[in-house]
Amino acid sequence: MSETPEAPQAAETAGEAPAKKPVTAGRVKKPAASSRAAAPAKAAKSAGAAAPVKAARPPKAESHTALVRRARRIDRELAEVYPYAHPELDFENPFQLLVATVLSAQTTDLRVNQTTPALFARYPTPEDLAAADPEEVEEILRPTGFFRAKTKSVIGLSKTLAEQFGGEVPGRLEDLVKLPGVGRKTAFVVLGNAFGRPGITVDTHFQRLVKRWRWTEESDPDKIEAAVGALFPKSAWTMLSHHVIFHGRRICHARKPACGACPIAPLCPAYGEGETDPEKARKLLKYEKGGFPGQRLNPPQSYLDAGGRPAPPLGAG
């Protein structure tokens, strides 16, 4: 992840839960399998309209009840566009997820996914990584950037896990944030996707979009987490994070959002900040085109069914 408030040690979303399934987003309606393959095209489909979308801007004095309804409707719409939304880091257990999340600071998930197989093949457990030669770890992590600081963090957290937690990743927020290089954002990634415990991942994609949607005016990640969490049932938090981050990576970009191809334009107060012409907006989409944000070496089957492509190994693309 190239954008993060916890630089350089924090990270963004991560891979599939190995044991427990991540918490699903409340009552979001899941599309049938046949519709999943067409899901990525739903947003792009609006780009074929003859005229730009006319967004219904919420009133400046939107009531809290109206805000809750609009926020939840946005999440339902995004759930239909991204039925395969998932953590985008590859992992097989909580330890791998924790390390991969720390490594994803200031780089892309794709680069982390191309790098971690060699790391985990050589150091499969916290005890192994805790006893590793830092120079050897640095050489493996070099492609991820900030490799010296990241080496210090992953070896440090591995030592703490081995010495204080019996080599197991703790499943409590208060324990996770004590680990070197682990902040609340990273902790919620691990809790939500490795342990199935709800959490909101406030990365810069999430911060940018919730401000554009006027869900909150807060700037501090902890306050954003609290404000947005109050709009949704706790059970929806993990999948909400995936939906928002997927949308931020693929359509609602920082510099030039693809407003004219956005499926939630009628609900967005910031409609018009980006390209509103449907044809031009469609060219800005970053969907499943060999080399898109968050590409994984081992994506879930639902993602492949929806048109996603596996990432190439390191050095192959």
Side-chain angles (χ1 to χ4, degrees):
M1 328 172 169
S2 58
E3 300 176 281
T4 174
E6 291 177 18
Q9 288 85 10
E12 216 173 290
T13 50
E16 300 172 310
K20 297 183 180 181
K21 296 182 180 179
V23 179
T24 54
R27 300 181 179 178
V28 172
K29 181 180 179 181
K30 294 184 178 180
S34 61
S35 67
R36 286 189 173 188
K42 180 177 178 182
K45 187 176 180 181
S46 65
V53 178
K54 290 185 178 180
R57 294 175 179 267
K60 291 183 179 180
E62 185 178 31
S63 69
H64 179 72
T65 300
L67 172 59
V68 169
R69 289 174 178 170
R70 182 168 62 85
R72 295 186 183 187
R73 183 178 172 189
I74 286 175
D75 186 47
R76 289 195 299 272
E77 292 289 332
L78 294 181
E80 291 187 9
V81 177
Y82 311 112
Y84 51 87
H86 59 274
E88 295 187 282
L89 289 169
D90 289 326
F91 74 99
E92 296 179 355
N93 55 55
F95 174 62
Q96 290 188 1
L97 174 58
L98 177 62
V99 171
T101 307
V102 170
L103 295 180
S104 66
Q106 305 293 305
T107 190
T108 64
D109 288 353
L110 171 56
R111 179 61 69 183
V112 174
N113 290 340
Q114 292 170 324
T115 304
T116 51
L119 179 70
F120 295 138
R122 189 158 185 171
Y123 311 107
T125 69
E127 291 81 2
D128 294 325
L129 192 51
D133 181 339
E135 291 186 359
E136 293 181 1
V137 176
E138 286 179 1
E139 194 57 34
I140 295 174
L141 300 186
R142 186 179 294 271
T144 67
F146 299 96
F147 58 92
R148 290 188 180 88
K150 291 178 180 180
T151 295
K152 184 178 180 180
S153 290
V154 298
I155 290 180
L157 69 85
S158 296
K159 287 181 178 179
T160 303
L161 291 176
E163 295 171 359
Q164 299 182 24
F165 296 98
E168 299 291 332
V169 176
R172 300 194 310 164
L173 176 65
E174 53 267 39
D175 292 329
L176 285 169
V177 296
K178 294 177 182 178
L179 300 173
V182 178
R184 288 178 66 87
K185 180 163 65 71
T186 299
F188 280 131
V189 169
V190 175
L191 290 173
N193 299 290
F195 294 99
R197 296 174 183 172
I200 294 177
T201 303
V202 184
D203 70 346
T204 51
H205 294 292
F206 195 94
Q207 290 187 51
R208 182 177 74 252
L209 269 60
V210 299
K211 281 193 174 183
R212 281 179 174 169
W213 297 336
R214 292 185 190 167
W215 287 5
T216 179
E217 295 297 325
E218 298 291 351
S219 298
D220 178 76
D222 291 351
K223 292 181 179 180
I224 291 173
E225 175 194 322
V228 174
L231 303 177
F232 294 86
K234 194 172 183 178
S235 60
W237 288 356
T238 297
M239 286 307 299
L240 168 70
S241 300
H242 292 325
H243 296 151
V244 175
I245 292 170
F246 258 60
H247 193 61
R249 284 176 165 174
R250 289 154 176 79
I251 295 180
C252 197
H253 314 307
R255 295 182 180 178
K256 198 170 185 180
C259 294
C262 181
I264 60 168
L267 301 170
C268 181
Y271 174 80
E273 288 185 7
E275 180 58 65
T276 58
D277 178 85
E279 289 299 327
K280 293 180 179 178
R282 184 164 56 184
K283 294 177 182 179
L284 298 174
L285 299 180
K286 294 180 180 178
Y287 271 118
E288 285 66 15
K289 313 174 172 177
F292 53 91
Q295 200 172 20
R296 293 179 59 186
L297 293 171
N298 301 301
Q301 188 59 46
S302 59
Y303 175 73
L304 297 174
D305 291 343
R309 302 178 188 177
L314 188 63

